[in-house]
Amino acid sequence: MATSAEMSGTVQQIESIIQTIESKIDVSSQQHSPASNSSSTKSEDSGLDDGPKKSVTSAKPISRKSSRMSQSSGVSLPPVLEQLEHMIISDDWLGSESTSPSGLKQHAQVAKTRSREGQKLSELGRTLVTSASLKSYIDLLSSHHRQSIASWLYGNVNHVFSNLFRFADSQIYCSDPEATISLSIRNGIGHAVKLALKSSYGTDHSTKGWRAFAEQGAPVVYVSPALHMDLSSYLASEFGIADVTILPKLDSDRGEIEGRIDHHQFEKILDEDLAAGKKPLILIGVVGTTIMGQNDMISKILEIREKKAKFWLHITGQAIAALTFREPNNILVHVLSQVDSMTVPIALWLGIPSAPVVTLHRPVEGYKASYREKLDTLPWWVASSYLSGKKIVDMIENAFLLSKVMLKGLSAIPEVEMIGVDNPVELANRVYKNKFTPPTVLIFKYNYVSIKNAIQHHKDLIQNNDDHDAIAIAEKTLQDELEYGDYLNAWLRDGLLPESLPLGIDTIELGGNYGIAFRFCPLEHAATYSSHIDHVQRFVRKLTDIMRIVESTVVSKLKFSELKDDFPSLVLLPIRNWAGIGAVCYIPSIVKETNPEDWNDIQKQQISHLNLELVHQLKSVDAAFSSGDCTRYGVSCVKFGMLSDVKDLHNLVEMVAQKGKEIENSQQYLDSLAHLIRQGIEAANEALRKENDQRLQNEGMMRQLPIMGSLVNWWSPLTPESQNIRGRAFNLKTGEMQETDVLFKSKKNMDATPPITKNETPQIPHEPFATKIDEEPTSESETAVTEEAVSSAEEAKPVESS
């Protein structure tokens, strides 16, 4: 029997350790994090070396109020706790130079940064960690005492969750904690399979093993296509079940993203398995998928079960949370109360760390929860007692309220496409009238109409059996439009980042012709980030403003090609990884008559040098301009960024053409180019002279004599490397001297795999052109003074090279 002093001392010791660890993590995070004015409570590493590593036993000893200071092994307890404390606070001990390759050092630093995120525990989190330690303490009690505690905890938690999810007479099972939520849910599904085996095969499965399958028929597990989990290997290794059938998807336009069970096809498969002598064991359905928020038609599956064969029906998914509403949908309660079991990641919904995934199931004859399974409910007894049922319902209803407000806000923005929602305005109205439950997940993106037109055009060509060339061109156009659509959404993601963080909004790759999209799932993040309606409204306002910029940019991009006839000195160039309007290249008059496909290296250098200087001058006026590389022609170009007003497009292009003409006609540019080439030639000659002197020094004097040199070379021939004199090339674009063998190798690699420019579209759009005009001097006297000052400055300053 444990004494009150021992219990009090144990609890105080655990709380003291947790507080010490958290305080040291805070100090360590402040030392590694760069100074910032951010109000975020999460710490980040600077990525720099931490300096000399502290020894394991150099940590400050933890004060202990318990009188038990040693273990039976004779090891003093405080040093052991110090070592454990050091391992938790820092991961410096994980990788040393002697045990890990140097290439993994940077990866270890990244892991350290991530491991420290979110480690500040709330009062509930600290209580849960303490209760986990007390589970081991309970094991030390007498058999009857610990069994009584476990049974009381199990009955209490069972009652709370049965009422919460309106699952009468259910029993609870807490999955063993795993590395991810998905694995914990898999353990819950495994428990349901174990119950289904016991329900279908009785005691034969536990006594006869696989012989029971041979006598009564092999079990078949049916899995929804929306589960996103591989159960085949798990069920085969754990239960010896070989037949795991992924059911066909219901035909729909969005089936390539995520599908629901086709109950007609399931009925046919069920008939075939029964005819083959197999035994349908369990069907695993999804109510509230992770991507689209769709539901399998559980009511249809229940009808099939009544008509065809008895099998266990297990469900999982996020829409099960709607059962906890104060006034839930009666049809939903009626249907889901008929299933045999359900697995719910309620710890994720409530933002509770260290709490297990919960599985509720109907009673099974011959099954009784073990002592360990009962004791595993301790974290949920602590959480439910701390939060109370009312607080749990409030947190879940708040998540659905955020989804409701977000749906209303997104439906009011015409440029937003909501994946899986044909009429967002009508859906939002029905949700606000309480006819529909708010969706658990919202997937949205920029509605780029050109993608839909390209898809339809491609389909029409295939249906009409047009020639292969036309279909190939349509495919290329479609891929270009899909790629540009992803760049636009990636730019949106970066611009909305401050507003997205409090809501947990992230981007996902949907695949197919859908590309990148935003995903908002308040059930997963609202409790963790303490999200509220103000965060949603702030996000919608920012999205509305930034969508105007995207829409103006897309319209300007369509008109961009129409302006090339007005400015013959500019050539439109294809460029990748860019969400802006596009890219142009100013062509000097000396190479204007040459086709871009026929530009030689000298012409490319001249064009690139001029355009780099052009970008340099444009950026001083408008920061949205930037330089880029056109891999198709191998020249530098001028990239236009995002545009907030379509009316400014013509003025921007005109400004680029005028600036380019000024640079081309300026004596400064010509002198700079000539001086740059002269310096490059002199540097190349100097490098060749030094290399030749070095070669002569290495060969020695004897090899330079006419007859003696031949004998020495015959007796000890030189290696090809020592005879090779590398040429020199001066790169006008970079201003660097390069050896020709390096240049040839890089040129060969460039031809084999052309580099892809990173998506670095500036978040700041082009400034309104009226602003630039207002900033210029208006009076004639001011203009004259300004021109005189500029002329004097240009005469005074030396010639510069770009």
Side-chain angles (χ1 to χ4, degrees), residues 682-701:
E682 292 175 356
N685 288 333
E686 181 65 19
L688 290 174
R689 185 188 64 79
K690 291 181 178 180
E691 185 171 332
N692 188 52
D693 293 344
Q694 183 67 27
R695 180 184 64 83
L696 293 177
Q697 183 178 356
N698 294 336
E699 291 179 358
M701 185 182 300

Side-chain angles (χ1 to χ4, degrees), residues 289-345:
T289 58
T290 56
I291 299 178
M292 303 289 293
Q294 301 180 110
N295 304 325
D296 288 325
M297 291 180 284
I298 304 301
S299 59
K300 295 290 186 181
I301 297 173
L302 289 170
E303 293 176 2
I304 295 174
R305 184 171 72 168
E306 289 295 327
K307 292 188 302 183
K308 297 293 182 179
K310 293 290 183 180
F311 53 82
W312 191 281
L313 180 55
H314 180 83
I315 60 172
T316 185
Q318 297 176 347
I320 302 175
L323 290 174
T324 65
F325 288 178
R326 289 181 175 83
E327 297 179 0
N329 186 287
N330 294 328
I331 298 177
L332 180 69
V333 175
H334 173 71
V335 172
L336 296 189
S337 62
Q338 299 180 58
V339 303
D340 298 296
S341 58
M342 60 178 67
T343 297
V344 289

Side-chain angles (χ1 to χ4, degrees), residues 262-282:
D262 187 343
H263 58 278
H264 295 294
Q265 294 295 326
F266 167 59
E267 195 168 357
K268 294 179 181 179
I269 294 173
L270 192 62
D271 291 337
E272 294 174 358
D273 290 339
L274 290 173
K278 297 180 181 180
K279 192 168 188 175
L281 179 67
I282 184 174

